[in-house]
Amino acid sequence: MSNPHGVAGPARTPVAVLSGTGYGGMELLRLLHAHLSFELVEVTARTGLGQRVCDLFPQLPGVTLPLTERVECAELVFVALPDDAAVAVVPELLVAGRRVVDLSAGFRLREPALYPEWYGYEHPAPALLEMAVYGLPELHRAALKDATLVACPGCYPTAALLALAPALAKGLIEPDIVVDAKSGLSGAGRGLSLGTHYAEANEDVAAYGLPGHRHWPEMLQELADLLPQPSAASREGDEESRIRLTFTPHLVPMTRGILATCYADLRAGIKADVVRAIYTAYYASEPFVHVIGQPPHTKHASGTNHAYVYPTVDPRTDRLVVLAVIDNLGKGAAGQAIQCANVMTGLPETLGLDAAGLYP
Amino acid sequence: MSNPHGVAGPARTPVAVLSGTGYGGMELLRLLHAHLSFELVEVTARTGLGQRVCDLFPQLPGVTLPLTERVECAELVFVALPDDAAVAVVPELLVAGRRVVDLSAGFRLREPALYPEWYGYEHPAPALLEMAVYGLPELHRAALKDATLVACPGCYPTAALLALAPALAKGLIEPDIVVDAKSGLSGAGRGLSLGTHYAEANEDVAAYGLPGHRHWPEMLQELADLLPQPSAASREGDEESRIRLTFTPHLVPMTRGILATCYADLRAGIKADVVRAIYTAYYASEPFVHVIGQPPHTKHASGTNHAYVYPTVDPRTDRLVVLAVIDNLGKGAAGQAIQCANVMTGLPETLGLDAAGLYP
Amino acid sequence: MSNPHGVAGPARTPVAVLSGTGYGGMELLRLLHAHLSFELVEVTARTGLGQRVCDLFPQLPGVTLPLTERVECAELVFVALPDDAAVAVVPELLVAGRRVVDLSAGFRLREPALYPEWYGYEHPAPALLEMAVYGLPELHRAALKDATLVACPGCYPTAALLALAPALAKGLIEPDIVVDAKSGLSGAGRGLSLGTHYAEANEDVAAYGLPGHRHWPEMLQELADLLPQPSAASREGDEESRIRLTFTPHLVPMTRGILATCYADLRAGIKADVVRAIYTAYYASEPFVHVIGQPPHTKHASGTNHAYVYPTVDPRTDRLVVLAVIDNLGKGAAGQAIQCANVMTGLPETLGLDAAGLYP
Amino acid sequence: MSNPHGVAGPARTPVAVLSGTGYGGMELLRLLHAHLSFELVEVTARTGLGQRVCDLFPQLPGVTLPLTERVECAELVFVALPDDAAVAVVPELLVAGRRVVDLSAGFRLREPALYPEWYGYEHPAPALLEMAVYGLPELHRAALKDATLVACPGCYPTAALLALAPALAKGLIEPDIVVDAKSGLSGAGRGLSLGTHYAEANEDVAAYGLPGHRHWPEMLQELADLLPQPSAASREGDEESRIRLTFTPHLVPMTRGILATCYADLRAGIKADVVRAIYTAYYASEPFVHVIGQPPHTKHASGTNHAYVYPTVDPRTDRLVVLAVIDNLGKGAAGQAIQCANVMTGLPETLGLDAAGLYP
């Protein structure tokens, strides 16, 4: 197969974005357009069929593909649909032999019973929940290699899990956790609402999603998996009951970025320098997670797939305060999806994702 | 004495602002200009002496006073200087028989030994620390009536104390507290720094002041005072040792506003409806503190002396999550200072402070 | 009639806001709540009938009136409805003997034929167009005194007219004018649209309304009135044909504020110092228009009814460049409406409007 | 020479950034890090020598070069210094045989006498002004190929020239021009000032630089070059006298982006469709200039080297209103510098510059 850039080389994997008109989809188009080993062959939408992406979205002058209704050629499909639409379409994509990286929440929870409780619908394909791999490469890299269905994490869980994984996995903290997260407005999507109306959201900070945001069960599930196994035998779900998690999301007046500030008591005898050493070692070989020595700024991650993590100890309470920042559309969505796809297809994990942050 | 508005009525108290060129001072000028019972007679500055306020600050077209070097006539002085300058000037103001409302941190801590530790200087007038009244009327109204020196709270402590006072005073929570606060950039003052440079601060959220912000000891002191007295006799300081407080401030890209998100475990058996009832009762007669039924928005308080408090319980952990918003320059600084001065002079507490919020 | 504040004094005029749920209406509520001579007796809305304003809008804790469906008691009504709704309701308000200050565009144009062209509908009450007084007190103060129907100017025309009135009225410029205006997002109202979605509007500047914004004919009409009368007799409309006006509005990422940058060639022989002297004299007795010596900042007018005008001459081209700033919701809408009402009812023109700007 | 990526291929040109700590320099580092044919070998600074770029600037995790004091190896040097420092260092770089792309204003003006007038210093190397090529590839591509010294345009001139070039070159307009430009705050650089202090600049729009911004003579020089030659012989400078240019820059509250709104009378008989056709043809083969059919948004260009141009005609005045947007740090600075360097070294002009815009 000839390479569309006219360069002799290995064939590129044909990929599709379904759909390309939300913020996650747009970001996928931006990143895939520059990806050397994925060839963007299809972009779907519900309206504007036949129009070229570059005509709809001037920020993508190089993407001259027309919008289509369905995927027909791609071997790997990035699903950037709302949850309910994603859950409906993924089974048929899999049946057609395509590999799927789903950015929705439709396949993130292993336990089907959680869907009615948190998302308001019976899951139509509970069997797929077992085969779906949770797409956080730092935690599930091995399983991603052969995955046919990847459920990319939510933006909040990505930040919180990267912040807390070393502490939980290495037994640094008591499993009594507060995650206080701050997100830019793009996290609320492209759909209109009074809360995302400029004049209302500008010059404002507020919490939302109280008393329970949908990212809570997902966060809990993955945090529980990180706990060291208890000595005795345990059933599925026991681990979750061992974690006490409060999660409060806030909207702050900016477009991109998430900061998760996480609090938990250090276990007796754990010292700050040990915390720092363990965090550094835990992420030493990760290309996208950087343990730094200063409070991280969301702006440093803007437009990238990088995460910056700062573990610190409050010396007056021996409480771990660990902060993590990501771009909610990058490592929190599209960037992570491509990182997963790189792992799935045996490519270098950083391919197409090594751009530096747009600063200032 | 004739009223400058030409209306027959009681004489107005002559007041001064020292100095009027920072954000706290500017906000005092804005509010005092409209105050019916205080007459602004002096505004000091270090530079621009002799220039009229309205020529320096076009947003204050009605303030035609010239800047002067010192206070000579005012009976009550609002000190809006940096800490070190405030501590130096307040004693002579008091000696001259003037009453002082100090917006700096110079007289907020009762314990002199905390100044070297947290502020880097030996306090030059430790005796005044005992007589200073902490200027949060909701907690210290009675003492304010006769105060000659009022130490207005910091913006973060104001928000956190209003959020936590009912819970601590009424024994709703364990004294193990996390305060995660988000502030607009005006809280960092008018002095230039890279962190407040527009292109750096815009589209960015970050924590700062780790591992210990100066508002921590002030917050701790006042939280400790709220604890119900233990049954046995206790020495000064014991209460503070009974509170475990972690405080993390963050800067968010907006000009005004503070949101404090506070976390603490509910005591056993305390239910959410009881929490709500106690909060509502606690602030029932307060003109500026509103217990509301939705997560509060900083924007609702913009330009006002109001605070909005939302107590809620995380049903999965029985943790109290209580949110409070204020305008950091209003209830967090200049508004509160005037509220204190109203109490000190026997005026209606809301005089000059009943403007509605600027929204949107 | 007893004064609701319990103070002996002249009866206050009962006023209504119809409707109170858009940004113009909210700002009217904010200002009227503090007005000493108007008593807000009714606030209408289409939904939420019976709910109290303070419960819907936490930024207005003092406004405890319930929303009602219609006006029944008010002698003077502020109409803050969309154009079409305003045009429908104003005639019946007048018939009922109420005086009307209309903030919509429904009665701004004297020429009925312009409505189909610019607003897409036949005007249902063309006779009222003749009796409506254009509510810019600086230009039409005398006519406002006895007006029963006042058509408040649009926000862009207010800024442009205040910028250009001295130059046109005093013959300083050729009537060939470019108005390049920059507005905050609240000018687009509270209705949702992709263009006012935070993530789209933030970090963005763009022109809109090309090739013709609806404020163009209104601006032209009033600019033409300012022209010195030609020596020979002239028919209605001739003046307008003598003006060549290009108007380009832009949205900039902020909530409040308009800056109009206006360009026109100076007439031969006119010097910069003459320009400045004429501007200063023209507005010398205006309480709300300030001719200043520096480029004005929209922030200086935030939350106020003030306008700041800076006339300057480009020395390389002898072109007048005059800049004016207002708060689009203040002098550009609600503030101006109250200023008009003050004039209509013989009150001091600044009553309820003398608050300083919220800065920063 | 071996390729540092370990890939067999042509040697990359060693380049340096001098200095890398301002916003222009940072953006050069971001772009050069991803450039396949330039090898970044040196980054200079005045302070922090020996520190790694990635440690100073977390947004550049891949740039592990240490800061050095001077350039020693690079064949091509990007100079991102303030004007005075640039003018001092460029001659010695040239003497050492390096090619220079200068982002300062130090070599943009051909006429030495303009430097004292506009920049306040006698130009120390006037001979270099003649050999410097103005680095706008769309206008000076041929001359750039062999240039040893390129003076990259200012951000405002880039936007204005791209907006006006077709109209002036093709004789569509009278040479009487108003350029009303709106810029984000990063255009003011990384140096601190009250005007770029967040709390002052946020929620504010204002003009600045009146009555003459330094980009005016540069804009005039290049606009004049675009004029069709007059029939009779003309001396240097005559063209400039034929153009009447007013330029007003404004700061708007965003980080990146410039919008230039340009006004000029159409020549008699020129119609809107001709204007559009001529613009489209003029830029038909330009990879970075897009003539679009809607008012352009600065956000569409964010992070890119693209410019979007929208020519339109005000039908009521036959005035050309042409809008152009760029990223002031992209096409307005670092992107353009790299585009010039690509031309200078015979590389494809889009190399390293084909990233899509960061949206939203």
Side-chain angles (χ1 to χ4, degrees):
Chain A
M1 183 186 184
S2 78
N3 183 302
H5 284 187
V7 183
R12 299 196 296 165
T13 303
V15 302
V17 172
L18 188 168
S19 81
T21 58
Y23 291 147
M26 282 184 194
E27 186 76 348
L28 282 164
L29 297 180
R30 182 177 80 89
L31 294 170
L32 290 170
H33 177 57
H35 199 287
L36 297 175
S37 296
F38 292 138
E39 181 184 3
L40 180 65
V41 295
E42 289 160 316
V43 182
T44 76
R46 280 187 301 182
T47 60
L49 302 181
Q51 290 192 63
R52 299 191 309 165
V53 170
C54 57
D55 294 333
L56 279 174
F57 302 133
Q59 74 271 20
L60 295 166
V63 183
T64 54
L65 280 176
L67 294 177
T68 56
E69 195 174 353
R70 53 179 56 252
V71 171
E72 301 196 341
C73 313
E75 297 174 9
L76 190 152
V77 180
F78 295 94
V79 176
L81 291 166
D83 292 354
D84 51 354
V87 172
V89 77
V90 163
E92 64 193 63
L93 291 170
L94 294 172
V95 166
R98 311 186 202 282
R99 300 176 82 181
V100 172
V101 178
D102 178 24
L103 283 77
S104 86
F107 299 94
R108 291 180 196 155
L109 303 176
R110 282 195 301 267
E111 174 53 51
L114 291 170
Y115 280 92
E117 177 183 352
W118 287 92
Y119 289 90
Y121 59 85
E122 288 289 333
H123 200 288
L128 293 182
L129 297 179
E130 283 175 42
M131 69 176 269
V133 177
Y134 192 75
L136 193 61
E138 289 77 9
L139 300 185
H140 300 284
R141 186 169 280 119
L144 285 168
K145 289 197 165 70
D146 301 314
T148 51
L149 171 57
V150 171
C152 279
C155 48
Y156 288 121
T158 296
L161 290 166
L162 294 177
L164 291 163
L168 268 184
K170 300 302 178 184
L172 303 181
I173 55 171
E174 302 295 337
D176 186 2
I177 297 168
V178 168
V179 175
D180 187 290
K182 298 89 180 165
S183 173
L185 269 290
S186 66
R190 205 169 176 227
L192 306 182
S193 69
L194 196 58
T196 56
H197 192 54
Y198 184 92
E200 306 273 329
N202 188 37
E203 281 287 298
D204 187 41
V205 173
Y208 71 106
L210 295 168
H213 185 280
R214 289 174 170 185
H215 283 175
W216 183 87
E218 176 187 342
M219 218 180 271
L220 186 68
Q221 165 184 292
E222 295 296 314
L223 288 173
D225 280 1
L226 287 161
L227 283 181
Q229 287 304 310
S231 49
S234 70
R235 290 186 304 107
E236 169 80 15
D238 270 0
E239 288 83 358
E240 294 193 12
S241 68
R242 290 165 55 206
I243 294 200
R244 195 164 165 258
L245 170 69
T246 294
F247 163 54
T248 315
H250 301 75
L251 285 181
V252 300
M254 61 184 194
T255 301
R256 286 179 179 234
I258 282 185
L259 166 63
T261 311
C262 308
Y263 302 90
D265 287 350
L266 282 187
R267 287 220 156 119
I270 306 288
K271 299 295 176 198
D273 54 354
V274 168
V275 169
R276 185 157 183 84
I278 285 177
Y279 267 78
T280 304
Y282 192 88
Y283 288 126
S285 60
E286 287 297 337
F288 293 118
V289 187
H290 309 272
V291 179
I292 61 177
Q294 301 284 342
H297 290 251
T298 57
K299 201 179 188 75
H300 289 144
S302 188
T304 79
N305 197 50
H306 293 288
Y308 297 88
V309 178
Y310 176 56
T312 184
V313 174
D314 177 1
R316 290 165 202 88
T317 59
D318 283 332
R319 204 175 331 242
L320 176 72
V321 182
V322 55
L323 301 111
V325 298
I326 58 170
D327 183 332
N328 57 301
L329 295 177
K331 182 66 177 166
Q336 183 138 277
I338 289 171
Q339 185 184 355
C340 289
N342 284 341
V343 175
M344 291 164 78
T345 56
L347 295 169
E349 199 162 321
T350 60
L351 205 66
L353 296 173
D354 47 8
L358 196 70
Y359 194 97
Chain B
M1 183 184 184
S2 78
N3 184 300
H5 284 187
V7 182
R12 300 195 296 165
T13 303
V15 302
V17 172
L18 188 168
S19 82
T21 57
Y23 290 147
M26 282 183 192
E27 185 76 350
L28 282 165
L29 298 179
R30 182 176 81 88
L31 294 170
L32 289 170
H33 178 57
H35 198 287
L36 296 176
S37 295
F38 292 139
E39 180 185 2
L40 181 64
V41 295
E42 289 160 315
V43 182
T44 76
R46 280 186 301 183
T47 60
L49 301 181
Q51 291 192 62
R52 301 190 308 166
V53 169
C54 58
D55 293 334
L56 279 175
F57 301 132
Q59 74 272 19
L60 295 165
V63 185
T64 54
L65 281 176
L67 294 177
T68 56
E69 196 174 353
R70 54 177 55 251
V71 172
E72 301 197 342
C73 312
E75 296 175 9
L76 190 152
V77 180
F78 295 95
V79 177
L81 291 166
D83 292 352
D84 50 354
V87 171
V89 78
V90 163
E92 64 192 62
L93 291 169
L94 294 172
V95 166
R98 312 184 200 284
R99 299 176 83 182
V100 172
V101 179
D102 179 25
L103 284 78
S104 86
F107 298 93
R108 290 180 196 153
L109 303 176
R110 281 194 302 268
E111 174 53 52
L114 291 170
Y115 280 92
E117 178 183 351
W118 287 93
Y119 288 91
Y121 60 83
E122 286 291 331
H123 201 285
L128 295 182
L129 297 178
E130 284 175 40
M131 69 176 268
V133 177
Y134 192 75
L136 194 61
E138 289 76 9
L139 300 186
H140 300 284
R141 185 167 283 120
L144 284 169
K145 289 196 164 72
D146 301 312
T148 52
L149 171 57
V150 171
C152 279
C155 47
Y156 288 122
T158 296
L161 290 167
L162 294 176
L164 291 164
L168 268 184
K170 301 302 180 187
L172 303 181
I173 55 172
E174 301 294 338
D176 185 3
I177 298 169
V178 168
V179 174
D180 187 291
K182 298 89 180 163
S183 174
L185 270 288
S186 66
R190 206 169 176 227
L192 306 182
S193 69
L194 196 57
T196 56
H197 191 56
Y198 185 91
E200 306 273 327
N202 187 39
E203 281 288 297
D204 187 40
V205 173
Y208 71 105
L210 295 167
H213 185 279
R214 289 172 169 188
H215 284 175
W216 183 87
E218 176 187 342
M219 216 180 271
L220 186 68
Q221 164 184 294
E222 297 295 316
L223 289 173
D225 280 2
L226 287 161
L227 284 182
Q229 289 304 311
S231 49
S234 70
R235 290 185 305 108
E236 169 80 12
D238 271 357
E239 288 82 0
E240 294 194 13
S241 69
R242 289 164 54 205
I243 295 201
R244 194 166 165 258
L245 170 68
T246 293
F247 164 52
T248 314
H250 301 75
L251 286 181
V252 301
M254 62 184 192
T255 300
R256 286 179 178 235
I258 283 186
L259 166 63
T261 312
C262 308
Y263 302 89
D265 286 352
L266 282 186
R267 288 223 156 116
I270 307 288
K271 298 295 177 198
D273 53 355
V274 169
V275 169
R276 187 159 181 83
I278 285 179
Y279 267 77
T280 303
Y282 192 88
Y283 288 125
S285 61
E286 288 296 339
F288 293 118
V289 186
H290 309 272
V291 178
I292 60 176
Q294 299 284 340
H297 290 249
T298 59
K299 199 180 190 79
H300 288 145
S302 189
T304 80
N305 197 50
H306 292 288
Y308 297 88
V309 178
Y310 176 57
T312 184
V313 174
D314 177 1
R316 291 165 201 89
T317 60
D318 282 331
R319 206 177 328 242
L320 176 71
V321 182
V322 55
L323 301 110
V325 298
I326 57 170
D327 183 331
N328 57 303
L329 295 177
K331 183 65 177 166
Q336 182 136 278
I338 289 171
Q339 186 184 355
C340 288
N342 284 342
V343 176
M344 292 164 76
T345 56
L347 295 169
E349 198 162 323
T350 59
L351 205 66
L353 296 173
D354 47 8
L358 195 71
Y359 193 98
Chain C
M1 182 183 187
S2 78
N3 183 301
H5 284 186
V7 183
R12 300 194 296 165
T13 304
V15 303
V17 172
L18 189 167
S19 82
T21 58
Y23 291 147
M26 281 185 197
E27 186 77 348
L28 282 165
L29 297 181
R30 182 177 80 88
L31 294 170
L32 290 170
H33 177 58
H35 199 286
L36 296 175
S37 296
F38 292 138
E39 181 184 2
L40 181 65
V41 295
E42 289 161 316
V43 182
T44 76
R46 280 186 300 183
T47 59
L49 301 182
Q51 291 192 62
R52 300 190 308 166
V53 169
C54 57
D55 293 334
L56 279 174
F57 301 132
Q59 73 273 19
L60 294 165
V63 185
T64 53
L65 281 175
L67 294 177
T68 56
E69 195 173 355
R70 53 179 54 251
V71 172
E72 301 198 340
C73 312
E75 297 176 8
L76 191 151
V77 180
F78 295 94
V79 176
L81 291 165
D83 292 352
D84 50 354
V87 172
V89 79
V90 163
E92 64 192 62
L93 291 170
L94 294 172
V95 166
R98 313 186 201 281
R99 300 176 81 182
V100 172
V101 179
D102 178 25
L103 284 78
S104 87
F107 298 93
R108 292 181 195 153
L109 303 176
R110 282 195 300 269
E111 175 53 52
L114 291 171
Y115 280 92
E117 177 183 351
W118 287 93
Y119 289 90
Y121 60 84
E122 287 291 333
H123 201 286
L128 294 182
L129 298 178
E130 283 175 41
M131 70 176 268
V133 177
Y134 191 75
L136 193 61
E138 290 76 9
L139 300 186
H140 299 284
R141 184 168 282 120
L144 284 170
K145 289 197 165 70
D146 301 314
T148 51
L149 172 56
V150 171
C152 279
C155 47
Y156 289 122
T158 296
L161 290 167
L162 293 176
L164 290 163
L168 269 183
K170 301 302 179 185
L172 303 181
I173 55 171
E174 301 295 338
D176 186 2
I177 296 169
V178 167
V179 174
D180 186 290
K182 298 89 180 163
S183 174
L185 269 288
S186 66
R190 204 166 178 229
L192 306 182
S193 69
L194 196 58
T196 56
H197 192 55
Y198 185 92
E200 306 273 326
N202 187 38
E203 281 288 300
D204 188 40
V205 174
Y208 70 105
L210 295 168
H213 185 279
R214 288 172 170 188
H215 284 175
W216 183 86
E218 176 187 341
M219 218 180 273
L220 186 68
Q221 164 184 293
E222 296 295 315
L223 289 173
D225 279 2
L226 287 161
L227 282 181
Q229 288 304 312
S231 49
S234 69
R235 291 187 304 107
E236 170 80 13
D238 270 359
E239 288 82 358
E240 293 194 13
S241 69
R242 289 164 54 206
I243 295 201
R244 193 166 167 259
L245 170 69
T246 294
F247 163 53
T248 315
H250 301 75
L251 285 181
V252 300
M254 61 185 192
T255 301
R256 286 180 178 235
I258 282 185
L259 166 63
T261 311
C262 309
Y263 302 89
D265 287 351
L266 282 186
R267 287 226 156 113
I270 306 288
K271 299 296 178 198
D273 53 355
V274 169
V275 169
R276 186 159 181 84
I278 285 178
Y279 266 77
T280 304
Y282 192 88
Y283 288 125
S285 61
E286 287 296 340
F288 293 117
V289 186
H290 309 272
V291 178
I292 61 176
Q294 300 284 341
H297 290 250
T298 57
K299 200 181 190 76
H300 289 145
S302 188
T304 80
N305 197 49
H306 293 287
Y308 297 88
V309 177
Y310 175 57
T312 185
V313 174
D314 176 1
R316 293 166 198 88
T317 60
D318 282 332
R319 201 173 336 237
L320 176 70
V321 182
V322 55
L323 301 111
V325 297
I326 57 170
D327 182 332
N328 56 302
L329 295 177
K331 183 66 176 164
Q336 183 139 275
I338 289 172
Q339 186 184 357
C340 287
N342 284 342
V343 176
M344 292 164 77
T345 56
L347 295 170
E349 198 162 322
T350 59
L351 205 65
L353 297 172
D354 47 9
L358 195 71
Y359 192 97
Chain D
M1 184 182 186
S2 79
N3 184 302
H5 284 187
V7 183
R12 299 195 296 165
T13 302
V15 303
V17 172
L18 189 168
S19 80
T21 59
Y23 291 147
M26 281 183 194
E27 185 76 348
L28 282 164
L29 297 181
R30 182 177 80 88
L31 294 170
L32 289 169
H33 178 57
H35 198 287
L36 296 175
S37 295
F38 292 139
E39 180 185 1
L40 179 65
V41 295
E42 287 160 317
V43 182
T44 76
R46 281 187 300 183
T47 59
L49 301 181
Q51 291 192 62
R52 301 191 307 166
V53 169
C54 57
D55 293 333
L56 279 175
F57 302 133
Q59 74 272 19
L60 294 165
V63 184
T64 54
L65 279 176
L67 294 178
T68 56
E69 195 173 354
R70 54 178 55 253
V71 172
E72 299 197 341
C73 312
E75 296 175 9
L76 191 152
V77 180
F78 295 94
V79 176
L81 291 165
D83 292 354
D84 50 354
V87 172
V89 77
V90 162
E92 64 193 62
L93 291 170
L94 294 172
V95 167
R98 312 186 201 281
R99 301 176 82 180
V100 172
V101 178
D102 179 25
L103 283 77
S104 87
F107 299 93
R108 290 179 196 156
L109 303 176
R110 281 194 302 267
E111 175 52 53
L114 291 170
Y115 280 92
E117 178 183 351
W118 287 92
Y119 288 90
Y121 60 83
E122 287 290 332
H123 202 285
L128 294 182
L129 297 178
E130 283 177 41
M131 70 177 268
V133 177
Y134 192 76
L136 194 60
E138 289 77 9
L139 299 186
H140 300 283
R141 185 168 281 119
L144 284 169
K145 290 196 166 68
D146 300 314
T148 52
L149 172 57
V150 171
C152 279
C155 48
Y156 288 121
T158 296
L161 290 166
L162 294 176
L164 290 164
L168 268 184
K170 301 301 179 185
L172 303 181
I173 55 172
E174 302 296 336
D176 186 2
I177 297 168
V178 168
V179 174
D180 186 292
K182 297 90 179 162
S183 174
L185 269 289
S186 65
R190 205 169 176 228
L192 306 182
S193 68
L194 196 58
T196 56
H197 192 56
Y198 185 91
E200 306 273 327
N202 188 38
E203 281 289 298
D204 187 41
V205 173
Y208 71 105
L210 295 168
H213 185 281
R214 289 173 168 186
H215 284 175
W216 183 87
E218 176 187 341
M219 218 180 270
L220 186 69
Q221 166 185 291
E222 296 295 316
L223 289 173
D225 281 2
L226 286 162
L227 283 182
Q229 288 303 312
S231 50
S234 69
R235 290 185 305 106
E236 168 82 15
D238 270 0
E239 287 83 357
E240 294 193 12
S241 68
R242 290 165 53 205
I243 295 202
R244 195 167 165 259
L245 170 68
T246 294
F247 163 53
T248 313
H250 301 74
L251 285 182
V252 299
M254 61 184 193
T255 301
R256 288 180 177 233
I258 282 184
L259 165 63
T261 311
C262 309
Y263 302 90
D265 286 351
L266 281 187
R267 288 221 156 116
I270 306 289
K271 298 296 178 198
D273 54 353
V274 169
V275 169
R276 186 158 182 85
I278 285 178
Y279 266 77
T280 303
Y282 192 88
Y283 288 125
S285 61
E286 287 297 339
F288 293 117
V289 186
H290 309 272
V291 179
I292 60 176
Q294 300 284 340
H297 290 250
T298 58
K299 201 179 187 76
H300 289 144
S302 189
T304 79
N305 197 50
H306 292 287
Y308 297 87
V309 178
Y310 175 57
T312 183
V313 174
D314 176 2
R316 290 165 201 89
T317 59
D318 282 333
R319 203 174 333 241
L320 175 71
V321 182
V322 55
L323 301 110
V325 298
I326 57 170
D327 183 332
N328 57 302
L329 295 177
K331 183 66 177 167
Q336 183 137 280
I338 290 171
Q339 186 184 356
C340 287
N342 284 342
V343 175
M344 291 164 77
T345 56
L347 294 169
E349 199 162 322
T350 60
L351 205 66
L353 297 172
D354 46 10
L358 195 69
Y359 193 97

